[in-house]
Amino acid sequence: MEFHNLYSFFKGTALLCGVVLFPLSCSSVAQNKGNEVQYWLTKGDESVKLQLQDPVRFVPASNNFQNIEIDATQKFQYVDGFGYTLTGGSVEVINRLSPSKRKALLQELFGPDKNSISISYLRVSIGASDLDGEVFSYNDLPEGQTDPALSKFSLEKDKALIAMLKEILKINPDIKIIAAPWSPPVWMKDNGKSKGGSLKPEFYTTYANYFVKYIQGMKKKALPLLPSLLRTNRYIREIIQACICRQKNKVNL
């Protein structure tokens, strides 16, 4: 695991979760600066927000604090990066800020500055998530109609999100973006609703083509995506937009 990625993760945790104190030790820092530790401070009363503090050093004195041991000879799964989900609701809220505050926020989240979180991964939803202002897919139709050819497919509902993704890529061209679906268009489902239900077998190919059109459409807008993923929230499938997709069905899809 690279310590730079740990750095980005814990900085993000400090900002978004209101952690009072964020310490970070790094082997490269320790070797180069005599056991020096950098840390960022965030206070619950918001008087200090993710500010780099004067470095401290490891000392041989004993205390009752919990020890964190790092064995550089042991390697486990590589962590490629850390990040969050950019929802339509997030875009809507950010776009309500003044231009100067909006620019500052995007720099703080995605920029390379020392007090930036430097997010390296983003997840976006294929169609609406439960944190969008409205429920939609890219191929909505009047009740009772179907469109196996996906002739009505359009990314127009994601226009604002796509614009923000382009801004983010200008700030951090190396950011990785993955996409995940919440629900297929309701006409593909056995209950005709965005919440719960399952994909009808006769629309497996159509839904696969739906993903293809989405990825191709994003590519045309200069938005490279990592391979998309299927997901299922088995415990909240009747509460938010979701689709029950069991393992064998995922394989068939």
Side-chain angles (χ1 to χ4, degrees):
M1 182 183 295
E2 290 190 353
F3 283 99
H4 173 72
N5 291 330
L6 279 174
Y7 158 86
S8 299
F9 167 70
F10 284 116
K11 287 184 72 181
T13 303
L15 178 66
L16 299 180
C17 298
V19 174
V20 174
L21 180 64
F22 160 54
L24 172 69
S25 63
C26 175
S27 59
S28 62
V29 174
Q31 292 170 4
N32 297 331
K33 296 188 177 182
N35 290 328
E36 190 174 277
V37 179
Q38 291 178 301
Y39 73 99
W40 282 254
L41 181 65
T42 296
K43 292 186 176 181
D45 63 4
E46 300 188 6
S47 60
V48 179
K49 296 181 180 179
L50 198 64
Q51 294 299 312
L52 179 63
Q53 306 297 301
D54 293 334
V56 295
R57 297 176 183 274
F58 285 111
V59 295
S62 61
N63 54 50
N64 295 322
F65 299 152
Q66 184 175 359
N67 292 327
I68 299 175
E69 296 183 8
I70 299 176
D71 185 353
T73 64
Q74 257 191 323
K75 293 184 179 181
F76 298 95
Q77 183 178 358
Y78 178 75
V79 176
D80 198 26
F82 291 94
Y84 314 95
T85 297
L86 182 66
T87 67
S90 301
V91 172
E92 185 178 345
V93 171
I94 292 172
N95 282 339
R96 291 176 184 172
L97 297 173
S98 66
S100 60
K101 288 184 177 180
R102 184 179 180 281
K103 181 179 179 181
L105 177 61
L106 292 179
Q107 285 291 337
E108 186 175 358
L109 292 173
F110 304 101
D113 299 336
K114 66 179 182 180
N115 280 320
S116 295
I117 296 176
S118 302
I119 292 170
S120 54
Y121 258 87
L122 272 182
R123 184 179 71 165
V124 295
S125 61
I126 300 177
S129 75
D130 51 308
L131 295 176
D132 275 84
E134 61 178 316
V135 177
F136 67 87
S137 76
Y138 303 125
N139 210 117
D140 290 328
L141 301 171
E143 187 175 355
Q145 294 186 17
T146 62
D147 181 21
L150 300 175
S151 60
K152 303 292 179 62
F153 185 94
S154 173
L155 295 176
E156 183 64 24
K157 291 284 189 179
D158 269 347
K159 184 177 180 180
L161 182 139
I162 289 170
M164 185 166 291
L165 286 175
K166 289 183 176 181
E167 287 186 71
I168 291 168
L169 279 168
K170 288 181 180 179
I171 298 171
N172 180 7
D174 296 323
I175 197 167
K176 297 178 175 67
I177 306 171
I178 59 174
W182 263 242
S183 174
V186 298
W187 52 268
M188 295 187 190
K189 299 173 71 175
D190 56 11
N191 68 348
K193 299 177 181 179
S194 62
K195 297 178 182 179
S198 299
L199 184 67
K200 291 181 179 180
E202 62 264 34
F203 289 125
Y204 277 24
T205 298
T206 303
Y207 196 35
N209 289 333
Y210 182 88
F211 287 147
V212 172
K213 289 182 76 71
Y214 171 75
I215 294 170
Q216 290 176 339
M218 295 293 272
K219 186 177 180 180
K220 287 180 181 179
K221 297 180 183 297
L223 293 172
L225 297 174
L226 293 175
S228 301
L229 55 98
L230 285 173
R231 57 186 288 281
T232 177
N233 289 327
R234 60 180 297 186
Y235 298 112
I236 55 175
R237 58 195 181 202
E238 303 295 338
I239 302 173
I240 64 171
Q241 296 97 292
C243 182
I244 302 169
C245 190
R246 306 193 186 284
Q247 189 61 40
K248 65 177 182 179
N249 296 334
K250 290 181 181 179
V251 173
N252 292 334
L253 180 58

